Amino acid sequence: MTRRITVAERLASAEKDIRLETIADQSSWDRFLVEQAVFHFGTRHREFSANCLRDVLPELGHGYLGAAINSLRTAGLIEHTGRVVPSTLPSTNGHRIACWRLSDRGRAIAEQRRARRAA
């Protein structure tokens, strides 16, 4: 049985050895892309919420947004800012959603990725 790599390991890895079965597993692949998009968005913005991300993700990504945010939070790559904003998604009737930012660990991984790209 192979060990599943963590979100942090996937994001920190510059050279990804993606196997065909990973690509064929559409739901895992979609979730991975959304995680990458959330992490990338976090590198470009001081603070963000699901509202911001829904505006830039294609429709297929919306279903994975909560899971991606939760997985990045669990991995310690993003952290709650302590602020909440009303959801702009009509079906939620404006319930409150968290605002996020990259954690120190997330910023370190982002910097490593930038350095590898520059080299």
Side-chain angles (χ1 to χ4, degrees):
M1 177 177 234
T2 60
R3 179 178 84 80
R4 289 186 55 169
I5 62 173
T6 67
V7 174
E9 289 169 328
R10 284 196 311 257
L11 291 170
S13 171
E15 303 295 322
K16 294 180 181 56
D17 184 17
I18 300 173
R19 297 171 297 170
L20 187 56
E21 62 262 26
T22 304
I23 295 170
D25 182 0
Q26 192 65 27
S27 63
S28 294
W29 185 242
D30 289 347
R31 183 171 158 198
F32 174 72
L33 289 175
V34 175
E35 287 171 354
Q36 288 283 326
V38 172
F39 185 76
H40 181 74
F41 197 88
T43 66
R44 301 284 192 255
H45 299 84
R46 285 173 97 61
E47 185 176 289
F48 59 92
S49 71
N51 291 338
C52 305
L53 294 159
R54 277 194 303 271
D55 292 341
V56 298
L57 286 174
E59 191 65 36
L60 72 91
H62 294 184
Y64 298 103
L65 186 52
I69 288 173
N70 191 46
S71 124
L72 292 171
R73 180 195 55 79
T74 302
L77 301 178
I78 63 173
E79 60 191 14
H80 195 281
T81 64
R83 288 184 0 97
V84 292
V85 294
S87 173
T88 58
L89 192 63
S91 63
T92 64
N93 297 315
H95 77 269
R96 298 166 136 312
I97 58 173
C99 292
W100 303 95
R101 67 178 164 238
L102 284 186
S103 65
D104 290 340
R105 183 176 184 197
R107 282 190 295 280
I109 290 172
E111 185 52 43
Q112 290 169 356
R113 293 173 81 189
R114 259 191 297 276
R116 277 195 294 263
R117 278 193 300 264

